[in-house]
Amino acid sequence: AEKKGRVEFRDVTFKYPGAEAPVLSNISFTAEPGKTLAIIGSTGAGKTTLVSLLPRLYDVASGEVLLDGVPVTEMDSSEITSRVSAVPQKPYLFSGTIEHNLRFGKPDATDEELWEALETAQAKGFVEEKSSGLNRRIAQGGTNVSGGQRQRLSIARALVTKPNVYLFDDSFSALDVATDARLRKALKGKTKDATVIIVAQRVSTIADADEILVLDNGRIVDRGTHDELLETSPTYQEIVES
Ligand code: M5T
Ligand code: MG
Protein backbone atom coordinates (compact mmCIF):
# COMPACT_ATOMS: atom_id res chain seq x y z
CA ALA A 1 0.00 0.00 0.00
CA GLU A 2 1.09 3.54 -0.64
CA LYS A 3 2.36 5.39 2.40
CA LYS A 4 0.11 8.10 3.75
CA GLY A 5 0.93 11.57 4.97
CA ARG A 6 1.93 13.57 1.91
CA VAL A 7 1.72 17.24 2.81
CA GLU A 8 1.52 19.89 0.15
CA PHE A 9 1.39 23.68 0.47
CA ARG A 10 0.39 25.39 -2.78
CA ASP A 11 1.15 29.08 -2.97
CA VAL A 12 -0.07 29.73 0.54
CA THR A 13 -0.50 33.26 1.85
CA PHE A 14 -1.67 33.90 5.37
CA LYS A 15 -2.60 36.89 7.55
CA TYR A 16 -3.55 36.76 11.22
CA PRO A 17 -7.16 37.87 11.79
CA GLY A 18 -7.23 41.65 11.96
CA ALA A 19 -3.64 42.08 10.75
CA GLU A 20 -2.82 44.09 7.66
CA ALA A 21 0.31 42.42 6.37
CA PRO A 22 0.61 38.72 5.58
CA VAL A 23 3.04 36.77 7.79
CA LEU A 24 3.41 34.07 5.13
CA SER A 25 3.62 34.73 1.40
CA ASN A 26 3.65 32.34 -1.56
CA ILE A 27 4.66 29.27 0.42
CA SER A 28 4.93 26.14 -1.75
CA PHE A 29 6.50 22.83 -0.79
CA THR A 30 5.83 19.12 -0.55
CA ALA A 31 6.72 16.82 2.34
CA GLU A 32 6.68 13.09 1.62
CA PRO A 33 6.08 10.07 3.84
CA GLY A 34 9.34 8.48 4.93
CA LYS A 35 11.15 11.80 4.64
CA THR A 36 12.09 14.61 6.97
CA LEU A 37 11.44 18.19 5.96
CA ALA A 38 13.04 20.87 8.11
CA ILE A 39 12.16 24.53 8.46
CA ILE A 40 14.70 26.97 9.80
CA GLY A 41 14.75 30.73 10.07
CA SER A 42 15.15 33.57 12.51
CA THR A 43 12.68 34.42 15.21
CA GLY A 44 9.45 35.83 13.82
CA ALA A 45 10.12 34.35 10.36
CA GLY A 46 6.76 32.54 10.44
CA LYS A 47 7.76 28.94 11.26
CA THR A 48 5.15 28.36 13.97
CA THR A 49 2.50 30.04 11.84
CA LEU A 50 3.39 27.79 8.91
CA VAL A 51 3.07 24.54 10.86
CA SER A 52 -0.19 25.69 12.47
CA LEU A 53 -1.93 25.73 9.09
CA LEU A 54 -1.89 21.94 8.60
CA PRO A 55 -3.92 21.11 11.74
CA ARG A 56 -6.08 24.13 10.84
CA LEU A 57 -5.44 26.26 13.87
CA TYR A 58 -5.98 28.91 11.20
CA ASP A 59 -7.14 28.79 7.60
CA VAL A 60 -5.16 30.25 4.73
CA ALA A 61 -6.05 33.52 3.02
CA SER A 62 -5.15 32.15 -0.39
CA GLY A 63 -3.56 29.02 -1.75
CA GLU A 64 -4.12 25.51 -0.47
CA VAL A 65 -2.89 23.09 2.16
CA LEU A 66 -3.38 19.46 1.18
CA LEU A 67 -3.00 16.17 2.98
CA ASP A 68 -2.72 13.23 0.58
CA GLY A 69 -4.18 15.41 -2.13
CA VAL A 70 -7.23 16.51 -0.14
CA PRO A 71 -7.50 20.17 0.96
CA VAL A 72 -7.53 20.24 4.77
CA THR A 73 -10.50 22.61 4.57
CA GLU A 74 -12.50 19.64 3.26
CA MET A 75 -11.49 17.26 6.05
CA ASP A 76 -13.18 17.07 9.43
CA SER A 77 -11.13 17.99 12.44
CA SER A 78 -11.23 14.51 13.97
CA GLU A 79 -9.66 13.08 10.83
CA ILE A 80 -6.91 15.69 10.83
CA THR A 81 -6.26 15.13 14.56
CA SER A 82 -5.92 11.40 14.10
CA ARG A 83 -3.56 11.75 11.15
CA VAL A 84 -1.44 14.74 12.17
CA SER A 85 0.33 15.04 15.52
CA ALA A 86 1.78 18.40 16.39
CA VAL A 87 4.24 18.95 19.21
CA PRO A 88 3.80 22.65 19.92
CA GLN A 89 6.65 25.04 20.61
CA LYS A 90 5.29 25.51 24.13
CA PRO A 91 4.21 22.01 25.05
CA TYR A 92 1.25 21.80 27.40
CA LEU A 93 0.76 19.18 30.07
CA PHE A 94 -2.44 18.75 32.04
CA SER A 95 -2.76 18.33 35.74
CA GLY A 96 -3.14 14.58 36.10
CA THR A 97 -0.96 11.53 35.78
CA ILE A 98 1.72 10.96 33.16
CA GLU A 99 -0.49 8.20 31.80
CA HIS A 100 -3.42 10.60 31.43
CA ASN A 101 -1.17 13.05 29.62
CA LEU A 102 0.18 10.42 27.23
CA ARG A 103 -3.20 8.94 26.35
CA PHE A 104 -4.64 12.31 25.38
CA GLY A 105 -4.66 11.63 21.63
CA LYS A 106 -5.33 7.87 21.89
CA PRO A 107 -7.31 6.88 24.97
CA ASP A 108 -7.17 3.15 24.15
CA ALA A 109 -3.36 2.93 23.86
CA THR A 110 -1.85 0.01 25.78
CA ASP A 111 0.70 0.50 28.56
CA GLU A 112 3.22 -1.15 26.28
CA GLU A 113 2.60 1.52 23.66
CA LEU A 114 3.07 4.23 26.27
CA TRP A 115 6.40 2.79 27.41
CA GLU A 116 7.57 2.35 23.83
CA ALA A 117 6.79 6.02 23.12
CA LEU A 118 8.57 7.09 26.31
CA GLU A 119 11.62 5.08 25.33
CA THR A 120 11.78 6.70 21.89
CA ALA A 121 11.29 10.14 23.41
CA GLN A 122 14.16 9.50 25.87
CA ALA A 123 11.73 9.93 28.76
CA LYS A 124 11.60 6.35 30.05
CA GLY A 125 14.29 6.89 32.69
CA PHE A 126 12.52 9.98 33.97
CA VAL A 127 9.23 8.08 34.38
CA GLU A 128 10.90 5.03 35.92
CA GLU A 129 12.89 7.01 38.49
CA LYS A 130 9.84 7.34 40.78
CA SER A 131 7.96 4.27 42.01
CA SER A 132 4.68 5.89 40.94
CA GLY A 133 5.81 5.45 37.32
CA LEU A 134 3.02 6.21 34.87
CA ASN A 135 0.82 7.27 37.80
CA ARG A 136 3.14 10.12 38.74
CA ARG A 137 1.24 13.38 39.03
CA ILE A 138 1.96 16.26 36.75
CA ALA A 139 0.96 19.68 38.00
CA GLN A 140 -1.16 21.96 35.84
CA GLY A 141 0.99 23.35 33.04
CA GLY A 142 3.67 20.78 33.87
CA THR A 143 5.28 23.16 36.33
CA ASN A 144 6.78 20.31 38.39
CA VAL A 145 8.84 18.97 35.48
CA SER A 146 11.68 20.66 33.61
CA GLY A 147 11.32 22.23 30.18
CA GLY A 148 13.25 19.36 28.57
CA GLN A 149 11.08 16.78 30.33
CA ARG A 150 7.96 18.61 29.20
CA GLN A 151 9.24 18.50 25.64
CA ARG A 152 10.01 14.78 25.85
CA LEU A 153 6.62 13.91 27.37
CA SER A 154 4.97 15.97 24.69
CA ILE A 155 6.94 14.10 21.99
CA ALA A 156 5.97 10.78 23.60
CA ARG A 157 2.32 11.85 23.51
CA ALA A 158 2.59 12.50 19.77
CA LEU A 159 4.26 9.12 19.20
CA VAL A 160 1.45 7.27 21.00
CA THR A 161 -1.06 8.36 18.35
CA LYS A 162 1.04 6.89 15.48
CA PRO A 163 -0.01 9.59 13.02
CA ASN A 164 0.84 9.90 9.32
CA VAL A 165 2.42 13.31 9.90
CA TYR A 166 4.52 14.63 12.78
CA LEU A 167 5.05 18.34 13.30
CA PHE A 168 7.81 19.19 15.74
CA ASP A 169 7.90 22.92 16.45
CA ASP A 170 11.25 23.59 18.05
CA SER A 171 10.67 20.44 20.11
CA PHE A 172 14.30 19.63 20.76
CA SER A 173 15.53 23.06 21.84
CA ALA A 174 15.51 22.42 25.60
CA LEU A 175 17.49 19.17 25.20
CA ASP A 176 21.24 18.99 25.38
CA VAL A 177 22.91 18.20 22.06
CA ALA A 178 23.57 14.53 22.97
CA THR A 179 19.98 13.84 24.06
CA ASP A 180 18.71 15.68 21.00
CA ALA A 181 20.83 13.41 18.76
CA ARG A 182 19.77 10.20 20.59
CA LEU A 183 16.13 11.17 20.46
CA ARG A 184 16.18 11.95 16.76
CA LYS A 185 17.96 8.68 15.98
CA ALA A 186 15.33 6.70 17.93
CA LEU A 187 12.61 8.76 16.27
CA LYS A 188 13.91 7.92 12.81
CA GLY A 189 13.46 4.21 13.54
CA LYS A 190 9.87 4.73 14.69
CA THR A 191 8.67 7.17 12.04
CA LYS A 192 9.90 5.41 8.88
CA ASP A 193 6.49 5.48 7.18
CA ALA A 194 5.46 8.91 8.40
CA THR A 195 6.10 12.43 7.16
CA VAL A 196 8.24 14.34 9.63
CA ILE A 197 8.34 18.13 9.64
CA ILE A 198 10.83 19.67 12.06
CA VAL A 199 11.09 23.35 12.91
CA ALA A 200 14.45 24.08 14.48
CA GLN A 201 16.75 26.85 15.58
CA ARG A 202 19.83 24.66 15.83
CA VAL A 203 21.41 23.51 12.59
CA SER A 204 22.68 20.26 14.18
CA THR A 205 19.04 19.22 14.70
CA ILE A 206 18.20 19.36 11.01
CA ALA A 207 21.49 18.80 9.16
CA ASP A 208 20.42 15.28 8.13
CA ALA A 209 16.95 16.30 6.89
CA ASP A 210 16.02 15.34 3.33
CA GLU A 211 15.13 18.93 2.55
CA ILE A 212 15.50 22.18 4.47
CA LEU A 213 13.39 25.27 3.84
CA VAL A 214 14.96 28.55 4.87
CA LEU A 215 12.22 30.94 5.94
CA ASP A 216 12.80 34.66 6.18
CA ASN A 217 10.13 37.25 6.80
CA GLY A 218 7.33 34.89 5.77
CA ARG A 219 8.94 33.69 2.56
CA ILE A 220 10.94 30.63 1.59
CA VAL A 221 14.18 32.27 0.52
CA ASP A 222 16.22 29.10 -0.06
CA ARG A 223 15.75 25.34 -0.04
CA GLY A 224 17.96 22.28 -0.32
CA THR A 225 19.99 19.86 1.74
CA HIS A 226 22.38 21.05 4.44
CA ASP A 227 25.37 20.66 2.11
CA GLU A 228 23.62 22.45 -0.75
CA LEU A 229 22.55 25.34 1.46
CA LEU A 230 26.04 25.73 2.87
CA GLU A 231 27.14 26.43 -0.71
CA THR A 232 24.20 28.48 -1.94
CA SER A 233 22.38 30.23 0.90
CA PRO A 234 23.82 33.28 2.66
CA THR A 235 20.84 33.24 5.06
CA TYR A 236 21.58 29.63 5.98
CA GLN A 237 25.27 30.36 6.40
CA GLU A 238 24.37 33.17 8.77
CA ILE A 239 22.27 30.78 10.87
CA VAL A 240 25.09 28.23 10.89
CA GLU A 241 27.54 30.84 12.12
CA SER A 242 25.23 32.31 14.76
C1 M5T B 1 5.46 35.15 12.70
C2 M5T B 1 3.08 37.05 14.27
C3 M5T B 1 4.39 37.29 14.99
C4 M5T B 1 5.38 37.40 13.85
C5 M5T B 1 4.78 36.50 12.78
C6 M5T B 1 2.00 32.82 16.67
C7 M5T B 1 1.61 34.21 16.24
C8 M5T B 1 2.47 35.00 15.51
N1 M5T B 1 2.11 36.29 15.09
C9 M5T B 1 0.87 36.80 15.38
O1 M5T B 1 0.54 37.91 14.99
N2 M5T B 1 -0.02 36.02 16.11
C10 M5T B 1 0.30 34.75 16.55
O2 M5T B 1 -0.52 34.07 17.20
O3 M5T B 1 3.42 36.31 13.12
O4 M5T B 1 5.50 34.54 13.98
P1 M5T B 1 5.85 33.01 14.26
O5 M5T B 1 5.17 32.18 13.24
O6 M5T B 1 5.51 32.73 15.67
O7 M5T B 1 7.43 33.01 14.01
P2 M5T B 1 8.53 31.88 14.34
O8 M5T B 1 7.87 30.63 14.83
O9 M5T B 1 9.38 31.74 13.12
O10 M5T B 1 9.40 32.53 15.51
P3 M5T B 1 10.19 31.83 16.72
O11 M5T B 1 10.46 32.94 17.68
O12 M5T B 1 9.35 30.75 17.30
O13 M5T B 1 11.49 31.30 16.15
O14 M5T B 1 5.40 38.70 13.34
O15 M5T B 1 4.34 38.47 15.74
MG1 MG C 1 7.90 29.61 16.57
Side-chain angles (χ1 to χ4, degrees):
E2 205 169 303
K3 290 179 187 173
K4 287 187 161 178
R6 186 173 190 273
V7 174
E8 191 181 351
F9 276 53
R10 278 190 201 151
D11 204 18
V12 165
T13 293
F14 174 76
K15 268 185 224 191
Y16 278 100
E20 300 224 325
V23 293
L24 293 173
S25 304
N26 308 107
I27 301 290
S28 294
F29 67 87
T30 304
E32 300 280 354
K35 307 256 173 166
T36 299
L37 177 87
I39 302 165
I40 200 162
S42 58
T43 182
K47 306 180 294 296
T48 294
T49 304
L50 194 160
V51 294
S52 73
L53 298 179
L54 181 63
R56 286 191 66 194
L57 300 185
Y58 297 98
D59 281 331
V60 302
S62 68
E64 256 182 334
V65 178
L66 304 108
L67 178 57
D68 290 320
V70 180
V72 291
T73 47
E74 289 172 17
M75 295 170 69
D76 47 86
S77 61
S78 64
E79 187 183 356
I80 300 177
T81 321
S82 68
R83 299 190 53 201
V84 177
S85 261
V87 179
Q89 189 167 16
K90 294 215 163 50
Y92 51 90
L93 296 175
F94 313 106
S95 94
T97 62
I98 287 180
E99 178 178 350
H100 168 213
N101 271 280
L102 292 180
R103 283 190 206 280
F104 174 67
K106 197 184 179 209
D108 61 348
T110 64
D111 279 9
E112 202 183 348
E113 288 175 304
L114 302 188
W115 283 111
E116 188 188 327
L118 287 167
E119 185 165 24
T120 306
Q122 311 296 304
K124 196 174 168 214
F126 161 70
V127 178
E128 278 174 339
E129 92 197 0
K130 293 260 169 84
S131 60
S132 47
L134 289 171
N135 294 317
R136 176 153 156 202
R137 313 264 336 155
I138 302 290
Q140 188 173 3
T143 48
N144 59 341
V145 299
S146 77
Q149 286 154 351
R150 264 205 296 276
Q151 283 191 330
R152 283 178 278 172
L153 290 173
S154 184
I155 291 164
R157 173 196 284 155
L159 284 160
V160 168
T161 65
K162 300 196 174 77
N164 301 140
V165 184
Y166 289 93
L167 300 175
F168 296 108
D169 189 355
D170 214 9
S171 302
F172 312 104
S173 57
L175 309 177
D176 59 77
V177 173
T179 308
D180 176 5
R182 265 204 315 279
L183 197 161
R184 281 180 300 102
K185 186 162 178 245
L187 208 55
K188 256 208 156 116
K190 295 290 176 189
T191 59
K192 281 202 172 76
D193 293 333
T195 303
V196 178
I197 300 180
I198 297 184
V199 170
Q201 302 274 3
R202 199 153 62 197
V203 168
S204 67
T205 304
I206 55 147
D208 59 357
D210 297 290
E211 187 178 23
I212 301 166
L213 308 179
V214 183
L215 206 62
D216 189 26
N217 207 3
R219 290 175 187 276
I220 299 174
V221 291
D222 293 302
R223 62 177 84 203
T225 63
H226 174 74
D227 288 340
E228 287 163 0
L229 290 169
L230 282 180
E231 295 287 320
T232 58
S233 171
T235 314
Y236 192 72
Q237 287 157 12
E238 247 172 62
I239 296 166
V240 171
E241 282 155 21
S242 67

